[in-house]
Each structure stands twice: as C-alpha cells, then as structure tokens.
Amino acid sequence: MIYLDNAATTMPKPPQVVNAVAEALNTCGNPSRGAYGASLESLRCMLRTRAALAKMFGVENPMWVAFTMNATAALNIAISGLQGHIVTNAAEHNSVLRPVYRSGNYTIVPLDPLGRLDLEQVEQSIRTDTEALVMTHASNLTGNVYDIHAAGEICRQKGIKLIVDAAQTAGLLSLDMKKDGISALCFSGHKSLYGPQGTGGICLNAGQYQPDPLAVGGSGSESFSPKHPHMLPDALEAGTQNAHGIAGLLAGVDYINTMKGAVFHDADRHARRFINGVRQVPKVVLYGDVDAQLRTPVVALNIQGMDSAKVADILNEYYGIAVRAGAHCAPLMHEALGTVRTGAVRFSFSHFNTDKEVEQAICAIEEIANNKGGY
Amino acid sequence: MEMLYTFPNTHTVISAEQVLLLAALPVRVMPVPNAITAGCGLCLRIAQEYRVRAEAEMMKHSIEISAVYERKDGNYQLLGS
C-alpha cells in the first residue's frame, strides 16, 4: 500500500514510537494512582512529555499542558469555556465549527475561492463583545497555512483570546504560544507528531485563560472534596490518562526534534513534486493556494467528470494508494472552493513517503484521468 | 528523623522528585499518610539532614509546596503550610 492519508493519521510511525508504546504497556501502571515504581514511572513519563510539548510550543509552564484524547476533545474544552461572541472562519474543521455553532454567538469570516483568509476581514468582525478568535493554523483540506502570528497581534490589540487548532501543523510548523499570543493551542498526537491515536492535548496560557473541564471525576488527589481540582493539569485530566499512548507521543516528539526539520521538508518536497506532476494532467483541478511559499503537505484535487469517491476507490483498488475522498469534515471550505457537490480527493504526504511512491501516485492520476485502466 | 512534603497535585510531586534527584538528593515518593490528609495522593519523604538543600532546590525551580511535616516518634508534626 502507498499510504497518502497522513493528514488523517500518520503511518507508519517511527520505530521508536512503536517500541515506546510496547515498553510502556508492560512497565507503566496507572499514573497518579499509586506510589510504587510502575505507577510513578507512568507519571514521570507524562511529566517528561508535558515538558517536551511545552518546549515545542513555547508554553510557559509544563503543567499548563493537559492531555486529551485528540484535538477535537481539546477544541471542545477550549471553545466550551467561552461565554462571549466568537469569531472564526470558513477554513475550519467541524471540530471547531460544531462547538462554535453550539455556542450560538459567532461570526464566520468567509474565504476566497482559493481558500485564503483576509485577516483584515477577521479584524473587522471583532466586536466589543467578542471574547475569542478561533482559528486553524492550516486547512486539513487544501494545506493552506494561516498566519497565526498576525492573528495573535490582532487579538493582542483587541484584548481577546486566540484559540488555535494546530491539528494539521503540530510537529510540522513552528508555533510559539508566547510569541504568537496564543491563549489555547489544541493539538492531536497521532498526526504530524507521529504519536499513537488517542493522544492529543490542550496547551494553555493559564494566566489569561483556563476553561472549565467538560469531564470531572477521579484526579488522584483531594478524594474527599466534592469538587474536582481546579489546578492544572488535573483540572482537565479527569480519570486515567492514556499513559501508554503518551509514552509513544513523547517518542514521536523526540523523533521530530532529532530530525531537525526533515519531517516537514521531506513531506513538503513530496507534496510539491506531486502538485507539479498532476497539474500537467488535463482534467485535473487542484484546489487551494498550491503555489504558496508555506503550506502543509496536503493536496486536494478532482478529475473533471469523475466523482471524488470513485477516484479514491480506483486508487485503492487498482493502485493500492490510500487517500481520502469526500468532505473531510470541512464543509465551509468546500463551499469556498465550489466542491460541495463533488467533494475532493485528498492526498497527504509524510516524511516516510518515498520519491518513488510520489511518482506512482502521479502516474495513477494520469492513467485515471485518461481512463487508461478500463476501471 | 525525616521530612515529609505535600504538594498541590501528583504532577508537582513528580516535578519535585525530578528536581531533587537531579541535585543528587535521596528522595522517595510515598502515599500521603492518612494522618496528614484523608484520601489518596502522593508526597515526598527526605531525611532531615537534606532539608535545607531540598527546599532551596525546590524554591529555585518554583515548585509549590503545600505543607512540610517532620516525622518524630511515628507522628507527623506540621512545620509550615
């Protein structure tokens, strides 16, 4: 199989991640629940992971990193804690849009036909009762990257919070909570941080914003208090944490740090080669700002006259290429691109893909577009 | 004689443990005795002779201590919180 669905979950994982999880399964007990070696080792592993993530994202205090099962859970916590008006934009995934819709008090800034966002429009949408701007760092559909630093400046000037969905960029592109003025940064561990599924988290600038937890329960301390602890990270980590997965997440973060930028640059090279290859093919329509200087290694396309699901099915069945078709949980981005009816075929690359795999994917698209395979 | 330190949460206990071990101070994590706080939780135990150095290290690393106890004749005496 040629795996090109890395925007959903990276695969394969570095061997270090696999080994770390396997080792943790037999050495890490329940964190916070005992004072014996295996339990403490679990707690120590979580602390090391918090510290590594805090360093990666410029979080002031490692205790302001709380683990969640994925970015969706983190975004739900971050957005549910808002009381006032929310500004967001049409590039967002449903993990942002649905919690925002539920708040009932929001403005959604539209995109241009290439899926780009005008930050002046964002600024104009901020009202006196606006509490936060919620913004993705990159589109999960087009790979367009949005300027978080500039958004942070706007939020600073307006005195509102900035909540960032970093699901598509954590581990690939640099983010710094302090420098970028981020109040809450939500990430998943199983994408470009190369960790296992079921890992993710929320990093907070807790001096500015600490949302209430969605779940309360066991915390390993203050057991006779009817109230769940307010102190981070306990406040947002009710119940047994996924320490085995977190051990893998730490190995993923360490791997990225060791690779010194190659994780992004390799994937970026693959995506750009793929773009240059398929854009020559008649009938292929590419979406998004594909020539942008900075983008994530995600490419969305359609072949004119063909259903995106059919293309994905052919790629899987005849070429062994795994991609994702349909709406990608990004309904408003599809509206901007004009692909609501057709959906799109998304190719997303990782550092572990090879040049040969990219060439095979380009050839497959050429053949399908020219209907050479008699599918 | 030994000292016992409690902290706001288990994560801080482990942070303190790491700081003290890095400073080559022999420290042990143990369950919080019920005589101190009913319920679950962890605390740190360290020999009295290391008290000054231990507290200096924890202060240096901004570790928040909830309370300090001294264990004498099997009893815990609160020295500060």
Side-chain angles (χ1 to χ4, degrees):
Chain A
M1 175 182 62
I2 297 174
Y3 184 77
L4 300 178
D5 197 19
N6 291 284
T9 284
T10 48
M11 190 172 70
K13 305 295 183 187
Q16 295 92 320
V17 172
V18 178
N19 294 339
V21 175
E23 194 184 331
L25 285 167
N26 284 322
T27 57
C28 285
N30 193 320
S32 273
R33 304 296 192 262
Y36 51 88
S39 176
L40 294 177
E41 188 42 40
S42 207
L43 207 47
R44 290 182 193 117
C45 172
M46 288 176 65
L47 180 68
R48 288 195 294 273
T49 313
R50 280 184 226 285
L53 290 163
K55 194 172 173 196
M56 177 175 264
F57 298 129
V59 188
E60 194 176 318
N61 182 341
M63 297 301 177
W64 295 354
V65 178
F67 295 109
T68 61
M69 73 174 293
N70 48 38
T72 297
L75 286 160
N76 269 270
I77 293 169
I79 295 167
S80 297
L82 300 172
Q83 309 292 320
H85 173 252
I86 300 168
V87 173
T88 189
N89 69 89
E92 303 299 328
H93 187 277
N94 273 337
S95 56
V96 166
L97 293 174
R98 287 176 173 162
V100 166
Y101 291 147
R102 194 166 56 176
S103 79
N105 186 11
Y106 57 86
T107 299
I108 296 178
V109 180
L111 305 169
D112 75 7
L114 290 182
R116 294 176 300 195
L117 178 67
D118 179 359
L119 281 177
E120 271 183 33
Q121 259 185 289
V122 170
E123 190 169 359
Q124 286 158 12
S125 302
I126 296 170
R127 313 188 313 211
T128 50
D129 62 338
T130 299
E131 185 178 358
L133 169 63
V134 185
M135 192 166 150
T136 187
H137 192 191
S139 161
N140 70 309
L141 176 55
T142 62
N144 287 5
V145 172
Y146 301 98
D147 191 342
I148 294 298
H149 187 76
E153 272 308 309
I154 292 170
C155 291
R156 233 190 295 253
Q157 282 166 20
K158 298 279 185 183
I160 65 168
K161 301 175 182 85
L162 174 60
I163 294 170
V164 174
D165 174 5
Q168 289 295 321
T169 58
L172 277 181
L173 302 179
S174 152
L175 275 175
D176 188 302
M177 288 194 68
K178 274 179 261 173
K179 288 183 193 157
D180 297 331
I182 299 169
S183 316
L185 183 155
C186 304
F187 65 94
S188 61
H190 64 100
K191 297 181 194 282
S192 38
L193 287 172
Y194 288 97
Q197 292 176 359
T199 62
I202 179 167
C203 304
L204 293 167
N205 175 0
Q208 187 196 25
Y209 183 44
Q210 183 180 334
D212 286 336
L214 296 180
V216 293
S219 60
S221 60
E222 298 181 39
S223 294
F224 286 95
S225 167
K227 283 192 178 165
H228 191 78
H230 179 71
M231 190 172 186
L232 289 169
D234 307 46
L236 300 178
E237 291 183 351
T240 300
Q241 294 302 297
N242 178 11
H244 301 145
I246 289 166
L249 174 60
L250 175 59
V253 171
D254 286 346
Y255 177 79
I256 290 163
N257 290 335
T258 307
M259 295 306 290
K260 296 187 190 303
V263 166
F264 173 72
H265 292 298
D266 291 346
D268 182 54
R269 189 184 78 242
H270 293 322
R272 290 183 193 274
R273 168 66 196 120
F274 180 74
I275 288 167
N276 288 333
V278 298
R279 78 188 324 168
Q280 318 295 334
V281 180
K283 294 194 208 166
V284 167
V285 182
L286 286 164
Y287 300 105
D289 194 7
V290 291
D291 294 316
Q293 206 174 2
L294 183 65
R295 60 191 315 287
T296 57
V298 176
V299 184
L301 61 79
N302 270 318
I303 296 174
Q304 280 172 344
M306 286 189 79
D307 178 58
S308 65
K310 176 73 177 165
V311 174
D313 192 43
I314 292 170
L315 284 166
N316 180 42
E317 195 175 340
Y318 290 84
Y319 298 93
I321 297 175
V323 296
R324 172 128 181 247
H328 313 88
C329 300
L332 304 184
M333 175 60 93
H334 277 287
E335 281 182 15
L337 302 174
T339 50
V340 170
R341 237 176 14 87
T342 56
V345 190
R346 183 184 72 180
F347 297 74
S348 48
F349 298 85
S350 108
H351 150 71
F352 285 107
N353 287 121
T354 63
D355 294 342
K356 190 179 167 193
E357 287 177 332
V358 177
E359 295 308 319
Q360 285 176 281
I362 295 167
C363 285
I365 290 296
E366 278 171 355
E367 289 187 12
I368 297 168
N370 294 318
N371 198 21
K372 283 184 182 160
Y375 313 105
Chain B
M1 265 195 308
E2 62 188 22
M3 311 304 300
L4 196 142
Y5 294 89
T6 61
F7 299 88
N9 60 19
T10 53
H11 309 285
T12 313
V13 177
I14 297 301
S15 295
E17 181 208 31
Q18 298 302 305
V19 160
L20 298 183
L21 288 176
L22 208 65
L25 294 169
V27 63
R28 274 202 65 188
V29 180
M30 61 175 275
V32 179
N34 279 314
I36 290 177
T37 309
C40 48
L42 301 173
C43 62
L44 284 189
R45 194 171 73 185
I46 192 160
Q48 208 261 352
E49 65 191 279
Y50 300 116
R51 180 184 176 183
V52 174
R53 280 177 61 200
E55 290 182 7
E57 283 295 327
M58 288 191 279
M59 190 180 284
K60 193 167 96 184
H61 289 87
S62 307
I63 303 273
E64 188 184 337
I65 300 168
S66 297
V68 189
Y69 298 85
E70 189 176 56
R71 188 175 184 218
K72 219 186 223 172
D73 305 325
N75 296 316
Y76 294 97
Q77 190 190 348
L78 178 65
L79 299 185
S81 60

